[in-house]
């Protein structure tokens, strides 16, 4: 009778009711017959909606005669089985900084940190055919004037003079000055966008003094690649920036997401995704927090951190049990601000942890879902990158994320608004090429495929804040991003619409 109840519910959602004759007709069937009948019935209703809202047995029989021609993707399932329940979860945590975070920040750690960053990025560049033979700055400066040279070094300083860019570079042993003229267009464009403290390869010629004239500048970059994909059709829902506790938190929209995941609402093609959703990943800013910026209390509906998590737990706890849920902290969650951040602690986040089983990771983290590798990062450093990238604005987080992939680093510049804790190792280097790179923070939904990696910024569930209005930031809240792990195709569902 469970199936019959679901059919009645689905019909009600579509605006139809069964009269007694129709109900009796259905209860007279056996379970298997009823399942098939129900599936076809819903399909026909989508295809050729009956004019009468109350369906009798006669109408059911008439509809049974109609041919169906819908695409199988649109099959509204009154499924006896929900695909995501049938498929076992396949999740592996590849990297979680939580376990490795030390106290850090001694002078020794600081030099260790940069040495580790340099070595890792040098390793990436050495793996490339075109940069394999790069030398040190010392060797390059020993070359004769006008001789061709190729060095790997870190950008320490950037300045502009008479339309030319000058990069001060350092390879931990020596330093040099690189002159980049706008006439070398490719090199100039890279020099413009390269963040400070980024490791690059400079190809050029030796000039006087400590000067190198650049012909080409290469970032470590990711190779054009074929991503890993899942064997079967399974979807992951990517969320971020819930900001529960803020006056601008969109409770109705997020409530609808939960209803949709529980198959209570949604058009057939949206339901199709919910039925195949095996993972929900929440990439930080779960709550709005307390004291994150001056006078934030004026923007809070819930002024107690624990209560904010208690409210958030109502949503997280209502995600169906068969969906694995991964959470990360953002800059509004109560963990240290410096990257890498540890997982949300149990003392504040208690209600979340009690609400369901969770995979709670630090920021940034890496997981594999059915073999698909995801790099997860809240995205605080996107502010720094977006404000310094020429001809890019805050509505283009995907462009900043693309630059992070090219730099193979999540926050190259040290000492800007994004604080970095100098650990002995640099957790922010992108060592593995991700198949999906997921961030939030900017509150603007955008996605783009870059060399086989699906870049996704998952927007927010908070309407425009007063701060954002003052500085002219227009977010795109209430739009959900879902990704098919078999194809890496992205689908957006707008939960602000009814
Ligand atoms: O950040 C959401 C977006 O808004 C992100 O692009 C930064 C920007 N933002 C929001 N509040 C501030 C303040 N007070 N200063 C600077 N930038 C801000 P979120 O992490 O959700 O606050
Ligand atoms: Fe946010
Ligand atoms: Zn944020």
């Amino acid at each position: 009778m469970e199936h019959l109840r679901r059919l009645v519910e689905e019909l009600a959602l579509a605006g139809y009711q069964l009269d007694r004759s129709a109900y009796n007709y259905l209860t007279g069937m056996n379970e298997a017959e009823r399942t098939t009948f129900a599936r076809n019935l819903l399909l026909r209703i989508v295809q050729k909606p009956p004019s009468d809202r109350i369906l009798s047995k006669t109408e059911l029989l008439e509809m049974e005669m109609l041919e169906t021609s819908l695409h199988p993707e649109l099959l509204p399932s009154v499924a006896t089985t929900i695909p995501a329940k049938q498929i076992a979860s396949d999740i592996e945590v590849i990297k979680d900084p939580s376990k490795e975070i030390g106290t850090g920040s001694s002078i020794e750690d600081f030099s260790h940190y940069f040495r580790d960053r340099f070595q890792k990025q040098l390793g990436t560049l050495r793996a490339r055919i075109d940069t394999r033979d790069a030398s040190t700055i010392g060797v390059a400066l020993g070359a004769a004037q006008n001789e061709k040279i190729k060095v790997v070094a870190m950008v320490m300083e950037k300045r502009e003079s008479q339309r030319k860019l000058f990069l001060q570079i350092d390879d931990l042993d020596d330093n040099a000055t690189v002159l980049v003229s706008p006439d070398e267009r490719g090199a100039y464009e890279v020099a413009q966008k390269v963040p400070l403290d980024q490791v690059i390869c400079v190809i050029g010629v030796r000039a006087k003094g400590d000067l190198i004239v650049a012909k080409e500048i290469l970032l470590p970059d990711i190779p054009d690649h074929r991503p890993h994909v899942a064997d079967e059709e399974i979807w992951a829902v990517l969320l971020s920036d819930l900001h529960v506790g803020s006056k601008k938190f969109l409770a109705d929209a997020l409530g609808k997401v939960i209803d949709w995941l529980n198959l209570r609402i949604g058009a057939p093609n949206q339901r199709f995704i919910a039925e195949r959703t095996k993972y929900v990943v929440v990439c930080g800013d779960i709550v709005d927090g307390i004291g994150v910026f001056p006078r934030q209390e004026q923007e809070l509906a819930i002024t107690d951190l624990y209560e904010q998590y208690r409210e958030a737990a109502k949503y997280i706890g209502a995600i169906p049990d068969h969906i694995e849920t991964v959470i990360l902290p953002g800059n509004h969650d109560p963990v240290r601000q410096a990257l890498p951040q540890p997982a949300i602690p149990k003392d504040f986040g208690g209600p979340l942890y009690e609400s369901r089983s969770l995979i709670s990771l630090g920021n940034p983290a890496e997981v594999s879902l059915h073999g698909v590798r995801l790099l997860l990062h809240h995205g605080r450093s996107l502010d720094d990158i977006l404000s310094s990238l020429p001809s890019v604005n805050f509505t283009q987080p995907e462009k900043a994320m693309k630059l992070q992939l090219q730099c193979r680093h999540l926050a190259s510049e040290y000492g800007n608004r994004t604080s970095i804790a100098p650990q002995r190792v640099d957790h922010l280097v992108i060592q593995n090429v991700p198949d999906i790179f997921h961030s939030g923070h900017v509150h603007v939904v955008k996605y783009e495929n870059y060399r086989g990696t699906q870049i996704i910024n998952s927007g927010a569930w908070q309407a425009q804040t007063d701060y954002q209005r003052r500085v002219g930031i227009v977010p795109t809240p209430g739009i959900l991003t879902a990704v098919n792990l078999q194809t890496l195709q992205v689908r957006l569902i707008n939960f602000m619409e009814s």
Side-chain angles (χ1 to χ4, degrees):
M1 286 319 228
E2 167 65 17
H3 306 130
L4 187 54
R5 193 183 57 75
R6 275 198 64 195
L7 172 64
V8 171
E9 271 179 23
E10 299 222 22
L11 284 173
L13 281 170
Y16 295 93
Q17 277 178 14
L18 297 172
D19 79 359
R20 180 141 301 276
S21 66
Y23 190 80
N24 288 342
Y25 176 61
L26 287 166
T27 49
M29 293 178 181
N30 70 32
E31 199 90 330
E33 281 171 345
R34 195 158 51 226
T35 306
T36 313
F37 186 88
R39 174 177 275 268
N40 290 338
L41 176 64
L42 285 167
L43 193 53
R44 274 151 208 173
I45 283 179
V46 175
Q47 196 181 9
K48 195 168 184 294
S51 51
D52 200 345
R53 292 274 162 190
I54 298 180
L55 307 174
S56 67
K57 178 183 172 183
T58 320
E59 276 150 328
L60 292 190
L61 292 172
E62 275 170 13
M63 273 193 284
E64 209 182 355
M65 309 299 287
L66 282 172
E67 279 297 312
T68 60
S69 62
L70 285 179
H71 188 270
E73 267 224 353
L74 294 176
L75 271 179
S77 63
V78 183
T80 51
T81 54
I82 295 167
K85 274 194 189 173
Q86 304 304 307
I87 296 171
S89 72
D90 177 1
I91 176 164
E92 191 192 334
V93 176
I94 301 170
K95 248 174 118 181
D96 175 12
S98 281
K99 296 175 183 67
E100 296 161 55
I101 290 171
T103 46
S105 81
S106 70
I107 299 293
E108 187 209 16
D109 280 346
F110 190 82
S111 69
H112 254 287
Y113 174 79
F114 276 104
R115 199 164 284 278
D116 185 66
R117 177 189 292 203
F118 189 80
Q119 291 304 335
K120 282 178 171 148
Q121 298 215 312
L122 179 64
T124 302
L125 282 162
R126 286 245 190 269
R128 278 176 57 159
I129 290 172
D130 50 353
T131 48
R132 184 170 293 166
D133 56 340
S135 73
T136 61
I137 291 177
V139 170
L141 292 183
Q145 237 187 62
N146 292 327
E147 202 174 312
K148 241 191 121 187
I149 54 114
K150 195 185 274 193
V151 291
V152 171
M154 215 177 249
V155 180
M156 307 310 290
E157 211 185 294
K158 210 196 290 197
R159 66 200 144 79
E160 197 171 355
S161 171
Q162 295 169 342
R163 289 188 64 244
K164 293 183 178 68
L165 280 174
F166 290 88
L167 308 181
Q168 207 59 45
I169 60 168
D170 191 310
D171 66 3
L172 307 179
D173 292 320
D174 297 286
N175 51 66
T177 305
V178 180
L179 183 160
V180 197
S181 146
D183 302 335
E184 295 292 347
R185 267 192 67 182
Y188 192 78
E189 276 167 20
V190 180
Q192 275 187 309
K193 71 180 182 184
V194 68
L196 294 181
D197 306 316
Q198 173 59 40
V199 179
I200 56 173
C201 176
V202 180
I203 302 173
V205 293
R206 176 82 177 91
K208 286 198 183 95
D210 74 340
L211 201 66
I212 292 167
V213 178
K215 293 275 175 221
E216 224 181 313
I217 299 178
L218 301 169
L219 296 171
D221 217 331
I222 58 167
D224 209 344
H225 64 289
R226 191 196 289 266
H228 304 92
V229 291
D231 292 335
E232 47 206 332
E233 180 162 3
I234 202 84
W235 288 70
V237 162
L238 308 182
L239 304 173
S240 63
D241 301 272
L242 311 186
H243 290 271
V244 178
S246 158
K247 282 181 184 165
K248 300 292 166 66
F249 165 57
L250 295 166
D252 286 350
L254 194 65
K256 280 194 224 160
V257 171
I258 299 302
D259 282 340
W260 167 72
L261 285 172
N262 281 282
L263 308 177
R264 291 192 285 264
I265 60 166
N269 55 350
Q270 296 168 342
R271 240 163 227 255
F272 179 89
I273 296 174
E275 287 172 347
R276 283 158 185 79
T277 296
K278 190 75 195 165
Y279 306 94
V280 169
V281 181
V282 193
C283 221
D285 285 359
I286 312 272
V287 295
D288 207 48
I290 310 275
V292 179
F293 52 81
R295 291 184 300 284
Q296 186 198 12
E297 57 286 356
Q298 293 166 11
E299 303 201 9
L300 291 177
I302 305 173
T303 52
D304 180 278
L305 201 45
Y306 194 81
E307 287 304 321
Q308 290 183 356
Y309 278 108
R310 202 197 289 281
E311 189 61 22
K314 290 183 186 163
Y315 298 87
I316 301 292
I319 296 171
D321 288 345
H322 65 273
I323 298 180
E324 295 274 5
T325 303
V326 179
I327 59 165
L328 263 71
N331 52 303
H332 283 256
D333 294 293
V335 291
R336 74 169 190 200
Q337 290 296 299
L339 293 174
Q341 294 180 295
I344 294 169
K346 295 237 156 72
D347 49 356
F348 288 115
L352 277 188
Y353 294 99
E354 284 154 25
S355 74
R356 58 164 301 125
S357 76
L358 281 176
I359 297 168
S360 177
L361 307 173
N363 169 42
E366 280 176 59
V367 296
S368 150
L369 305 177
H370 296 258
V372 181
R373 282 168 170 265
L374 282 83
L375 170 60
L376 311 173
H377 174 232
H378 173 62
R380 178 72 210 261
S381 52
L382 295 174
D383 289 340
D384 292 338
I385 301 171
L386 289 170
S387 58
S388 60
L389 259 183
S391 62
V392 166
N393 61 49
F394 75 93
T395 66
Q396 297 168 299
E398 78 287 6
K399 300 280 178 257
M401 291 171 75
K402 179 171 146 185
L403 183 61
Q404 288 174 315
L405 290 175
Q406 291 171 329
C407 289
R408 298 289 288 258
H409 205 283
L410 294 170
S412 308
E413 185 174 353
Y414 190 89
N416 204 330
R417 273 178 291 177
T418 312
S419 57
I420 299 172
Q423 312 274 153
R424 291 178 74 84
V425 293
D426 188 350
H427 292 281
L428 307 175
V429 172
I430 303 173
Q431 279 193 282
N432 301 318
V433 177
D435 301 313
I436 295 173
F437 177 20
H438 173 204
S439 289
H441 184 66
V442 182
H443 295 205
V444 173
V445 166
K446 277 291 173 68
Y447 61 96
E448 181 179 318
N449 195 289
Y450 177 63
R451 300 190 139 193
T453 296
Q454 189 65 59
I455 294 172
I456 303 173
N457 196 294
S458 54
W461 300 85
Q462 181 189 38
Q464 190 183 43
T465 62
D466 292 344
Y467 169 82
Q468 289 167 339
R469 189 168 40 77
R470 279 199 301 278
V471 297
I473 293 182
V474 185
T476 63
I479 299 172
L480 175 132
T481 49
V483 57
N484 179 344
L485 297 176
Q486 195 179 29
T487 59
L488 303 196
Q489 171 210 6
V490 177
R491 277 280 306 274
L492 306 183
I493 305 179
N494 191 340
F495 282 90
M496 299 297 274
E497 292 162 355
S498 55

